[in-house]
Amino acid sequence: CDYSVATVCDDSDACTQNKCNSATGCDYTTATVCDDSDACTQNKCNPATGCDYTTATVCDDSDACTQNKCNSATGCDYTTATVCDDSDACTQNKCNSATGCDYTTATVCDDSDACTQNKCNPATGCDYTTATVCDDSDACTQNKCNPATGCDYTTATVCDDSDACTQNKCNSATGCDYTTATVCDDSDA
């Protein structure tokens, strides 16, 4: 017997280790350990080619408000929030976990001043620079605005030409009217 030639153990499977046990012979029970120390790749083994790290780890927490990232050292990372910004200051930038960015809610502009118009400019946001126009089309009332209640027409227009010989009247369409002379009659013929 010639024991100088070693037994060649090869099961043609790159995913098992080819060992020889002196008591039992060829042993293919030990799996090849595939680990590229990258949590973002799957450690697979192909029987024909051996270790295979080409398949990426799929990270998905089913939350549209987080970014699905992968860190090579720690694996899936969902700590970064999705940034929602439609560059429109007149909508609120919200995020819905199921559907993602949501710009359907309008920005509420209200300066609690009834004498300014509550407007919104998509570029700059709330705008209260436009005054409320108060006009009751009655020249005999003053067009005023009260910040708490809005337009106020309760104050009469004061008509006085400082001429005792004319009557101080007001015409709703044209305003103060001094054309009617004061009638001077002491009833003493």
Side-chain angles (χ1 to χ4, degrees), residues 34-151:
C34 294
D35 186 357
D36 64 350
S37 299
D38 185 343
C40 295
T41 60
Q42 293 184 27
N43 298 319
K44 292 183 176 181
C45 191
N46 181 314
T49 59
C51 291
D52 177 1
Y53 310 109
T54 58
T55 304
T57 300
V58 177
C59 295
D60 186 357
D61 64 349
S62 299
D63 185 341
C65 296
T66 61
Q67 293 184 27
N68 298 319
K69 292 183 176 180
C70 191
N71 179 306
S72 293
T74 58
C76 291
D77 177 2
Y78 310 110
T79 58
T80 304
T82 300
V83 177
C84 294
D85 186 355
D86 64 351
S87 299
D88 185 341
C90 296
T91 60
Q92 293 184 27
N93 298 320
K94 293 184 176 180
C95 192
N96 179 306
S97 293
T99 58
C101 291
D102 177 1
Y103 310 110
T104 57
T105 304
T107 300
V108 177
C109 294
D110 186 357
D111 64 351
S112 299
D113 184 340
C115 295
T116 61
Q117 292 184 28
N118 298 319
K119 292 183 177 180
C120 191
N121 180 314
T124 58
C126 291
D127 178 1
Y128 310 110
T129 58
T130 305
T132 300
V133 177
C134 294
D135 186 357
D136 65 349
S137 299
D138 184 342
C140 295
T141 59
Q142 292 184 29
N143 297 319
K144 292 183 177 179
C145 190
N146 180 313
T149 59
C151 292

Side-chain angles (χ1 to χ4, degrees), residues 6-29:
T7 300
V8 176
C9 293
D10 185 358
D11 64 351
S12 299
D13 185 342
C15 296
T16 59
Q17 293 183 25
N18 298 318
K19 292 182 178 180
C20 188
N21 181 309
S22 57
T24 58
C26 290
D27 178 2
Y28 310 110
T29 57

